[in-house]
């Protein structure tokens, strides 16, 4: 089953209630836009915080810089709308890493009123907001070589599923699998620190169940796959 995704454009977003409990809201954004959520990308320095501006300045390619700034403008526009704050007044922090305890875990809002996750691939960004830990991921369909490079790092059952397919037919299932895996790893805050073998999420049309989590595929444009992981059932 795939879940629907809201589209964030150049105008200020129209939002419902702040997601709580099992509620979750997912938005997609074309990061080539010059205006996002009512804010011009060229004037983003007035909205982003010092850390975001520094990260943007370190991106050497103008296109990469534009996509990063656009996605973070979208994040702040949506967070500000849900929290009743101006986007520049939203304070972003890092949770403690669940692996080592360092202050480089999941991105979070100070005070924890809402959980969020941001992912981007190519010219597309996905943003998720929920009342519980949440992770979202969007992935472009990988090349055949990229599939071959990661086959041995997956759960053994996932590797077997992909190897059972003709080589030319592995790319789309791999994109599905990868987006599910990344969504879960973002939601837990572990990232890639513990590898890609666990949990088993499967490469078929429906995600495999993961204990303690709700895992769903999201609708995505042709050439992409996207997934959402939410703590709880």
């Amino acid at each position: 089953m795939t879940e629907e995704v809201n589209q964030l454009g150049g105008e200020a977003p129209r939002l419902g209630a702040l997601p709580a409990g099992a509620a979750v809201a997912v938005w997609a954004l074309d990061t080539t836009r010059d205006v996002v959520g009512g804010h011009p990308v060229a004037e983003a320095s007035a909205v982003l915080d010092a850390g975001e501006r520094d990260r943007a300045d370190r991106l050497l390619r103008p296109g990469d810089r534009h996509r990063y700034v656009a996605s973070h403008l979208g994040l702040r526009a949506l967070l500000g709308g849900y929290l009743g704050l101006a986007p520049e007044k939203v304070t972003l922090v890092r949770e403690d890493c669940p692996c080592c305890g360092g202050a480089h875990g999941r991105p979070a809002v100070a005070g924890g009123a809402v959980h969020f996750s941001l992912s981007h691939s190519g010219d597309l960004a996905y943003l998720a907001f929920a009342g519980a830990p949440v992770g979202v991921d969007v992935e472009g369909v990988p090349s055949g070589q990229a599939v071959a490079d990661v086959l041995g790092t997956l759960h053994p059952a996932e590797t077997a599923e992909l190897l059972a397919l003709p080589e030319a037919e592995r790319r789309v299932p791999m994109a599905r699998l990868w987006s599910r895996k990344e969504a879960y790893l973002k939601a837990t805050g572990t990232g890639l620190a513990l590898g890609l073998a666990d949990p088993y999420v499967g490469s078929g049309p429906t995600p495999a169940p993961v204990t303690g989590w709700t895992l769903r595929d999201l609708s995505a444009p042709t050439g992409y796959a996207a997934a959402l992981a939410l703590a709880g059932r």
Side-chain angles (χ1 to χ4, degrees):
M1 181 177 71
T2 58
E3 303 289 340
E4 292 304 315
V5 177
N6 303 296
Q7 300 296 319
L8 178 60
E11 69 284 349
R14 296 182 180 181
L15 305 177
L18 180 69
V24 60
V26 183
W27 295 77
L29 168 66
D30 177 354
T31 56
T32 65
R33 285 183 171 275
D34 292 325
V35 179
V36 176
H39 301 276
V41 173
E43 301 173 10
S45 59
V47 179
L48 304 184
D49 65 22
E52 290 167 313
R53 293 194 297 270
D54 179 66
R55 174 69 183 275
D57 288 343
R58 287 188 281 113
L59 295 172
L60 300 180
R61 298 177 180 175
D64 292 342
R65 191 179 311 116
H66 186 102
R67 286 186 284 268
Y68 173 86
V69 169
S71 63
H72 280 253
L73 280 178
L75 174 64
R76 285 183 167 275
L78 289 164
L79 282 173
Y82 285 125
L83 299 172
L85 296 172
E88 65 272 16
K89 297 297 184 182
V90 175
T91 302
L92 300 177
V93 297
R94 285 277 185 173
E95 295 180 349
D96 292 341
C97 172
C99 298
C100 70
H104 52 257
R106 291 191 315 142
V109 175
V114 63
H115 297 264
F116 71 87
S117 181
L118 165 64
S119 175
H120 47 80
S121 178
D123 294 333
L124 187 62
Y126 271 45
L127 306 98
F129 305 85
V134 64
V136 72
D137 191 63
V138 59
E139 296 288 340
V141 173
S143 66
Q145 184 59 55
V147 174
D149 288 343
V150 300
L151 267 176
T153 68
L154 305 173
H155 189 284
E158 294 166 344
T159 301
E161 289 171 8
L162 292 168
L163 287 175
L165 298 172
E167 187 173 345
E169 297 177 13
R170 296 173 186 169
R171 296 171 59 211
V172 170
M174 181 66 212
R176 284 197 298 253
L177 183 158
W178 192 270
S179 65
R180 296 166 186 170
K181 191 91 69 170
E182 282 273 18
Y184 170 83
L185 296 174
K186 288 180 179 180
T188 61
T190 60
L192 301 178
L194 302 180
L196 289 169
D198 293 317
Y200 170 74
V201 297
S203 61
T206 303
V210 176
T211 302
W213 293 84
T214 297
L215 190 60
R216 291 285 186 271
D217 288 340
L218 299 171
S219 57
T222 301
Y224 290 90
L228 175 85
L230 181 69
R233 290 310 238 172

